[in-house]
Amino acid sequence: MSYPLAKLPPLDLVKGFVAVGRHMSITQAARDLHVTQSAVSRQIRALEAHLGVALLVRGFRSVTFTPEGAQLFRMADAWLGELGELAQELRAPQRRTPVTITTTIGVASLWLLPRLGGFQAAHPDIDVRVAADNRVLDIDRESVDIAIRYSPREAVPEDAVWLFGESVVPVAHPMLNVRALNAAELARHVLLEFDDPTRPWLQWQEWLAARRLGRARPKSMLRFNQYDQIVHAALAGHGIALGRLALIAPMLADRRLVVVGDPADAAEHAYWLVRNARRSAPDTAVVLQWLLEQGQATARDLPRAPA
């Protein structure tokens, strides 16, 4: 038997609670809902009174969930998200729903975007939205259909599909005329460094140490917090980069960049496709199959990195 609708809490109270939970901030929730902070606070108190339990623990300029609040938020947030998606479709039935793909900024810039023109030419009736972000987005909360994850096997869901692997090799613009990378040669050149200590296999220290060049000193170093910036700097001839072969293969093929050193050991990280099983846009399967084909082509055509 269905729960009596008259006993359900008012939707406005639930909206106010979810808005607070999404930000863990009454101030931010008020901005989202275009109401005052006091109005949001009243909504939360009214919802607590309706349910007869405390939902939030209020601190000095902070809020946290009670166990009951956390349970309610998980359910209500997902439900309101689905309700919002349906409402959008009902309000604008003539508008095509895009297939949303999320991945890191570097993968989006260097691998995905150069290929999207071919997809659009083959499928002009399908809209695609790219959500590039170095954070691992919650695919349910952010309304994402497909995620390209860069991670080890154990960090992705069991149903994730391997796209292609990771291999790193030093590369530079041909005009730099880089010879064998030894201490003397390093002293002549600038090294382009990915400023992310969480990815040591993409940093020079690990590559140099593995070749007993840990004490060698380059002419200087340029550091970047986004990987695609490193590639663009290498293309401009600003220095030597550690190139991720899967992302720069087209630049090696047309010799905009050349390999100037031996490859590092293959990284445990790889690229994986993760589909949001809770979203079933009819065009998602087409985009997913296209991504798989592009990944297979990348893995097949991955250039060998000569010493």
Side-chain angles (χ1 to χ4, degrees), residues 101 108-109 111-126 128 130 290-291 294:
I101 307 171
S109 174
W111 187 83
L112 180 58
L113 296 185
R115 290 167 169 78
L116 275 181
F119 177 84
Q120 291 177 312
H123 304 280
D125 57 329
I126 297 178
V128 174
V130 178
W290 173 77
L291 287 170
Q294 295 301 308

PDB file of all heavy atoms in Angstrom, residues 101 108-109 111-126 128 130 290-291 294:
ATOM      1  N   ILE A 101      29.842  13.859 -21.600  1.00  0.00           N
ATOM      2  CA  ILE A 101      31.062  13.093 -21.365  1.00  0.00           C
ATOM      3  C   ILE A 101      31.937  13.909 -20.428  1.00  0.00           C
ATOM      4  O   ILE A 101      32.165  15.097 -20.659  1.00  0.00           O
ATOM      5  CB  ILE A 101      31.838  12.842 -22.675  1.00  0.00           C
ATOM      6  CG1 ILE A 101      30.929  12.204 -23.731  1.00  0.00           C
ATOM      7  CG2 ILE A 101      33.065  11.969 -22.418  1.00  0.00           C
ATOM      8  CD1 ILE A 101      31.576  12.146 -25.108  1.00  0.00           C
ATOM      9  N   ALA A 108      40.592  15.761 -22.414  1.00  0.00           N
ATOM     10  CA  ALA A 108      39.597  16.442 -23.245  1.00  0.00           C
ATOM     11  C   ALA A 108      40.277  17.263 -24.328  1.00  0.00           C
ATOM     12  O   ALA A 108      39.897  17.211 -25.508  1.00  0.00           O
ATOM     13  CB  ALA A 108      38.715  17.333 -22.377  1.00  0.00           C
ATOM     14  N   SER A 109      41.298  18.035 -23.960  1.00  0.00           N
ATOM     15  CA  SER A 109      41.959  18.933 -24.902  1.00  0.00           C
ATOM     16  C   SER A 109      42.775  18.182 -25.956  1.00  0.00           C
ATOM     17  O   SER A 109      42.722  18.518 -27.145  1.00  0.00           O
ATOM     18  CB  SER A 109      42.866  19.904 -24.136  1.00  0.00           C
ATOM     19  OG  SER A 109      43.628  20.694 -25.018  1.00  0.00           O
ATOM     20  N   TRP A 111      42.951  14.602 -26.537  1.00  0.00           N
ATOM     21  CA  TRP A 111      42.484  13.359 -27.157  1.00  0.00           C
ATOM     22  C   TRP A 111      41.037  13.446 -27.639  1.00  0.00           C
ATOM     23  O   TRP A 111      40.738  13.083 -28.778  1.00  0.00           O
ATOM     24  CB  TRP A 111      42.616  12.197 -26.169  1.00  0.00           C
ATOM     25  CG  TRP A 111      42.312  10.867 -26.797  1.00  0.00           C
ATOM     26  CD1 TRP A 111      43.158  10.085 -27.523  1.00  0.00           C
ATOM     27  CD2 TRP A 111      41.044  10.173 -26.773  1.00  0.00           C
ATOM     28  NE1 TRP A 111      42.504   8.949 -27.955  1.00  0.00           N
ATOM     29  CE2 TRP A 111      41.213   8.973 -27.501  1.00  0.00           C
ATOM     30  CE3 TRP A 111      39.802  10.446 -26.206  1.00  0.00           C
ATOM     31  CZ2 TRP A 111      40.182   8.056 -27.688  1.00  0.00           C
ATOM     32  CZ3 TRP A 111      38.765   9.525 -26.393  1.00  0.00           C
ATOM     33  CH2 TRP A 111      38.961   8.354 -27.118  1.00  0.00           C
ATOM     34  N   LEU A 112      40.131  13.939 -26.787  1.00  0.00           N
ATOM     35  CA  LEU A 112      38.716  13.915 -27.141  1.00  0.00           C
ATOM     36  C   LEU A 112      38.330  14.981 -28.159  1.00  0.00           C
ATOM     37  O   LEU A 112      37.726  14.673 -29.200  1.00  0.00           O
ATOM     38  CB  LEU A 112      37.875  14.059 -25.869  1.00  0.00           C
ATOM     39  CG  LEU A 112      36.350  14.053 -26.044  1.00  0.00           C
ATOM     40  CD1 LEU A 112      35.886  12.771 -26.716  1.00  0.00           C
ATOM     41  CD2 LEU A 112      35.653  14.246 -24.701  1.00  0.00           C
ATOM     42  N   LEU A 113      38.672  16.237 -27.877  1.00  0.00           N
ATOM     43  CA  LEU A 113      38.211  17.326 -28.738  1.00  0.00           C
ATOM     44  C   LEU A 113      38.696  17.199 -30.182  1.00  0.00           C
ATOM     45  O   LEU A 113      37.926  17.469 -31.114  1.00  0.00           O
ATOM     46  CB  LEU A 113      38.625  18.674 -28.146  1.00  0.00           C
ATOM     47  CG  LEU A 113      38.000  19.018 -26.786  1.00  0.00           C
ATOM     48  CD1 LEU A 113      38.382  20.428 -26.355  1.00  0.00           C
ATOM     49  CD2 LEU A 113      36.485  18.881 -26.829  1.00  0.00           C
ATOM     50  N   PRO A 114      39.958  16.808 -30.447  1.00  0.00           N
ATOM     51  CA  PRO A 114      40.369  16.675 -31.853  1.00  0.00           C
ATOM     52  C   PRO A 114      39.574  15.626 -32.625  1.00  0.00           C
ATOM     53  O   PRO A 114      39.558  15.654 -33.863  1.00  0.00           O
ATOM     54  CB  PRO A 114      41.842  16.265 -31.738  1.00  0.00           C
ATOM     55  CG  PRO A 114      42.281  16.777 -30.417  1.00  0.00           C
ATOM     56  CD  PRO A 114      41.093  16.617 -29.524  1.00  0.00           C
ATOM     57  N   ARG A 115      38.914  14.702 -31.929  1.00  0.00           N
ATOM     58  CA  ARG A 115      38.165  13.638 -32.594  1.00  0.00           C
ATOM     59  C   ARG A 115      36.683  13.942 -32.738  1.00  0.00           C
ATOM     60  O   ARG A 115      35.980  13.258 -33.497  1.00  0.00           O
ATOM     61  CB  ARG A 115      38.353  12.325 -31.812  1.00  0.00           C
ATOM     62  CG  ARG A 115      39.752  11.759 -31.916  1.00  0.00           C
ATOM     63  CD  ARG A 115      40.007  10.668 -30.896  1.00  0.00           C
ATOM     64  NE  ARG A 115      41.252   9.957 -31.161  1.00  0.00           N
ATOM     65  CZ  ARG A 115      42.467  10.424 -30.874  1.00  0.00           C
ATOM     66  NH1 ARG A 115      42.583  11.610 -30.278  1.00  0.00           N
ATOM     67  NH2 ARG A 115      43.544   9.721 -31.168  1.00  0.00           N
ATOM     68  N   LEU A 116      36.196  14.933 -32.003  1.00  0.00           N
ATOM     69  CA  LEU A 116      34.756  15.187 -31.994  1.00  0.00           C
ATOM     70  C   LEU A 116      34.239  15.676 -33.341  1.00  0.00           C
ATOM     71  O   LEU A 116      33.074  15.443 -33.669  1.00  0.00           O
ATOM     72  CB  LEU A 116      34.411  16.208 -30.906  1.00  0.00           C
ATOM     73  CG  LEU A 116      34.209  15.652 -29.499  1.00  0.00           C
ATOM     74  CD1 LEU A 116      33.862  16.765 -28.534  1.00  0.00           C
ATOM     75  CD2 LEU A 116      33.132  14.577 -29.470  1.00  0.00           C
ATOM     76  N   GLY A 117      35.076  16.342 -34.122  1.00  0.00           N
ATOM     77  CA  GLY A 117      34.631  16.805 -35.438  1.00  0.00           C
ATOM     78  C   GLY A 117      34.198  15.638 -36.309  1.00  0.00           C
ATOM     79  O   GLY A 117      33.175  15.716 -37.021  1.00  0.00           O
ATOM     80  N   GLY A 118      34.950  14.533 -36.256  1.00  0.00           N
ATOM     81  CA  GLY A 118      34.574  13.358 -37.024  1.00  0.00           C
ATOM     82  C   GLY A 118      33.261  12.761 -36.553  1.00  0.00           C
ATOM     83  O   GLY A 118      32.440  12.303 -37.363  1.00  0.00           O
ATOM     84  N   PHE A 119      33.050  12.759 -35.232  1.00  0.00           N
ATOM     85  CA  PHE A 119      31.789  12.237 -34.713  1.00  0.00           C
ATOM     86  C   PHE A 119      30.626  13.105 -35.167  1.00  0.00           C
ATOM     87  O   PHE A 119      29.571  12.592 -35.581  1.00  0.00           O
ATOM     88  CB  PHE A 119      31.831  12.162 -33.194  1.00  0.00           C
ATOM     89  CG  PHE A 119      30.531  11.704 -32.588  1.00  0.00           C
ATOM     90  CD1 PHE A 119      30.247  10.361 -32.493  1.00  0.00           C
ATOM     91  CD2 PHE A 119      29.590  12.627 -32.138  1.00  0.00           C
ATOM     92  CE1 PHE A 119      29.038   9.923 -31.951  1.00  0.00           C
ATOM     93  CE2 PHE A 119      28.392  12.202 -31.608  1.00  0.00           C
ATOM     94  CZ  PHE A 119      28.105  10.846 -31.510  1.00  0.00           C
ATOM     95  N   GLN A 120      30.778  14.427 -35.079  1.00  0.00           N
ATOM     96  CA  GLN A 120      29.687  15.310 -35.473  1.00  0.00           C
ATOM     97  C   GLN A 120      29.347  15.171 -36.948  1.00  0.00           C
ATOM     98  O   GLN A 120      28.182  15.258 -37.335  1.00  0.00           O
ATOM     99  CB  GLN A 120      30.070  16.761 -35.153  1.00  0.00           C
ATOM    100  CG  GLN A 120      30.124  17.047 -33.657  1.00  0.00           C
ATOM    101  CD  GLN A 120      30.587  18.467 -33.371  1.00  0.00           C
ATOM    102  OE1 GLN A 120      31.580  18.926 -33.921  1.00  0.00           O
ATOM    103  NE2 GLN A 120      29.880  19.151 -32.497  1.00  0.00           N
ATOM    104  N   ALA A 121      30.374  14.953 -37.778  1.00  0.00           N
ATOM    105  CA  ALA A 121      30.127  14.766 -39.205  1.00  0.00           C
ATOM    106  C   ALA A 121      29.345  13.481 -39.469  1.00  0.00           C
ATOM    107  O   ALA A 121      28.473  13.434 -40.344  1.00  0.00           O
ATOM    108  CB  ALA A 121      31.451  14.744 -39.968  1.00  0.00           C
ATOM    109  N   ALA A 122      29.654  12.434 -38.680  1.00  0.00           N
ATOM    110  CA  ALA A 122      28.981  11.153 -38.876  1.00  0.00           C
ATOM    111  C   ALA A 122      27.619  11.094 -38.207  1.00  0.00           C
ATOM    112  O   ALA A 122      26.734  10.342 -38.638  1.00  0.00           O
ATOM    113  CB  ALA A 122      29.861  10.023 -38.345  1.00  0.00           C
ATOM    114  N   HIS A 123      27.418  11.891 -37.146  1.00  0.00           N
ATOM    115  CA  HIS A 123      26.169  11.849 -36.378  1.00  0.00           C
ATOM    116  C   HIS A 123      25.672  13.268 -36.101  1.00  0.00           C
ATOM    117  O   HIS A 123      25.657  13.721 -34.951  1.00  0.00           O
ATOM    118  CB  HIS A 123      26.382  11.103 -35.059  1.00  0.00           C
ATOM    119  CG  HIS A 123      26.909   9.716 -35.222  1.00  0.00           C
ATOM    120  ND1 HIS A 123      26.115   8.644 -35.554  1.00  0.00           N
ATOM    121  CD2 HIS A 123      28.176   9.224 -35.098  1.00  0.00           C
ATOM    122  CE1 HIS A 123      26.854   7.549 -35.628  1.00  0.00           C
ATOM    123  NE2 HIS A 123      28.104   7.871 -35.355  1.00  0.00           N
ATOM    124  N   PRO A 124      25.247  13.989 -37.131  1.00  0.00           N
ATOM    125  CA  PRO A 124      24.821  15.386 -36.925  1.00  0.00           C
ATOM    126  C   PRO A 124      23.570  15.518 -36.080  1.00  0.00           C
ATOM    127  O   PRO A 124      23.251  16.612 -35.608  1.00  0.00           O
ATOM    128  CB  PRO A 124      24.578  15.882 -38.359  1.00  0.00           C
ATOM    129  CG  PRO A 124      24.292  14.631 -39.140  1.00  0.00           C
ATOM    130  CD  PRO A 124      25.118  13.556 -38.528  1.00  0.00           C
ATOM    131  N   ASP A 125      22.851  14.417 -35.850  1.00  0.00           N
ATOM    132  CA  ASP A 125      21.617  14.467 -35.070  1.00  0.00           C
ATOM    133  C   ASP A 125      21.842  14.232 -33.590  1.00  0.00           C
ATOM    134  O   ASP A 125      20.883  14.230 -32.808  1.00  0.00           O
ATOM    135  CB  ASP A 125      20.631  13.424 -35.597  1.00  0.00           C
ATOM    136  CG  ASP A 125      21.214  12.017 -35.582  1.00  0.00           C
ATOM    137  OD1 ASP A 125      22.443  11.884 -35.738  1.00  0.00           O
ATOM    138  OD2 ASP A 125      20.446  11.048 -35.413  1.00  0.00           O
ATOM    139  N   ILE A 126      23.097  14.032 -33.175  1.00  0.00           N
ATOM    140  CA  ILE A 126      23.395  13.774 -31.768  1.00  0.00           C
ATOM    141  C   ILE A 126      24.203  14.932 -31.196  1.00  0.00           C
ATOM    142  O   ILE A 126      25.242  15.297 -31.741  1.00  0.00           O
ATOM    143  CB  ILE A 126      24.173  12.452 -31.595  1.00  0.00           C
ATOM    144  CG1 ILE A 126      23.319  11.270 -32.072  1.00  0.00           C
ATOM    145  CG2 ILE A 126      24.582  12.243 -30.136  1.00  0.00           C
ATOM    146  CD1 ILE A 126      24.020   9.929 -31.975  1.00  0.00           C
ATOM    147  N   VAL A 128      26.519  16.540 -28.176  1.00  0.00           N
ATOM    148  CA  VAL A 128      27.473  16.082 -27.169  1.00  0.00           C
ATOM    149  C   VAL A 128      27.861  17.255 -26.287  1.00  0.00           C
ATOM    150  O   VAL A 128      28.073  18.371 -26.779  1.00  0.00           O
ATOM    151  CB  VAL A 128      28.734  15.463 -27.814  1.00  0.00           C
ATOM    152  CG1 VAL A 128      29.782  15.134 -26.759  1.00  0.00           C
ATOM    153  CG2 VAL A 128      28.367  14.206 -28.592  1.00  0.00           C
ATOM    154  N   VAL A 130      30.736  18.242 -23.352  1.00  0.00           N
ATOM    155  CA  VAL A 130      31.977  17.832 -22.709  1.00  0.00           C
ATOM    156  C   VAL A 130      32.108  18.566 -21.379  1.00  0.00           C
ATOM    157  O   VAL A 130      32.083  19.801 -21.344  1.00  0.00           O
ATOM    158  CB  VAL A 130      33.198  18.118 -23.605  1.00  0.00           C
ATOM    159  CG1 VAL A 130      34.494  17.736 -22.890  1.00  0.00           C
ATOM    160  CG2 VAL A 130      33.082  17.346 -24.918  1.00  0.00           C
ATOM    161  N   TRP A 290      31.268   4.745 -30.243  1.00  0.00           N
ATOM    162  CA  TRP A 290      32.257   5.560 -30.957  1.00  0.00           C
ATOM    163  C   TRP A 290      33.512   5.757 -30.111  1.00  0.00           C
ATOM    164  O   TRP A 290      34.636   5.644 -30.625  1.00  0.00           O
ATOM    165  CB  TRP A 290      31.644   6.908 -31.316  1.00  0.00           C
ATOM    166  CG  TRP A 290      32.628   7.871 -31.910  1.00  0.00           C
ATOM    167  CD1 TRP A 290      33.119   7.884 -33.178  1.00  0.00           C
ATOM    168  CD2 TRP A 290      33.255   8.970 -31.234  1.00  0.00           C
ATOM    169  NE1 TRP A 290      34.006   8.921 -33.350  1.00  0.00           N
ATOM    170  CE2 TRP A 290      34.108   9.596 -32.167  1.00  0.00           C
ATOM    171  CE3 TRP A 290      33.165   9.486 -29.945  1.00  0.00           C
ATOM    172  CZ2 TRP A 290      34.870  10.712 -31.838  1.00  0.00           C
ATOM    173  CZ3 TRP A 290      33.922  10.594 -29.627  1.00  0.00           C
ATOM    174  CH2 TRP A 290      34.769  11.198 -30.551  1.00  0.00           C
ATOM    175  N   LEU A 291      33.338   6.008 -28.828  1.00  0.00           N
ATOM    176  CA  LEU A 291      34.492   6.162 -27.945  1.00  0.00           C
ATOM    177  C   LEU A 291      35.320   4.879 -27.883  1.00  0.00           C
ATOM    178  O   LEU A 291      36.555   4.918 -27.888  1.00  0.00           O
ATOM    179  CB  LEU A 291      34.037   6.562 -26.543  1.00  0.00           C
ATOM    180  CG  LEU A 291      33.537   8.002 -26.373  1.00  0.00           C
ATOM    181  CD1 LEU A 291      32.886   8.182 -25.010  1.00  0.00           C
ATOM    182  CD2 LEU A 291      34.678   8.998 -26.556  1.00  0.00           C
ATOM    183  N   GLN A 294      37.327   4.659 -31.014  1.00  0.00           N
ATOM    184  CA  GLN A 294      38.450   5.594 -30.977  1.00  0.00           C
ATOM    185  C   GLN A 294      39.549   5.088 -30.045  1.00  0.00           C
ATOM    186  O   GLN A 294      40.739   5.226 -30.322  1.00  0.00           O
ATOM    187  CB  GLN A 294      37.972   6.971 -30.519  1.00  0.00           C
ATOM    188  CG  GLN A 294      37.007   7.655 -31.474  1.00  0.00           C
ATOM    189  CD  GLN A 294      37.605   7.865 -32.847  1.00  0.00           C
ATOM    190  OE1 GLN A 294      38.698   8.419 -32.987  1.00  0.00           O
ATOM    191  NE2 GLN A 294      36.895   7.420 -33.873  1.00  0.00           N
TER     192      GLN A 294
END
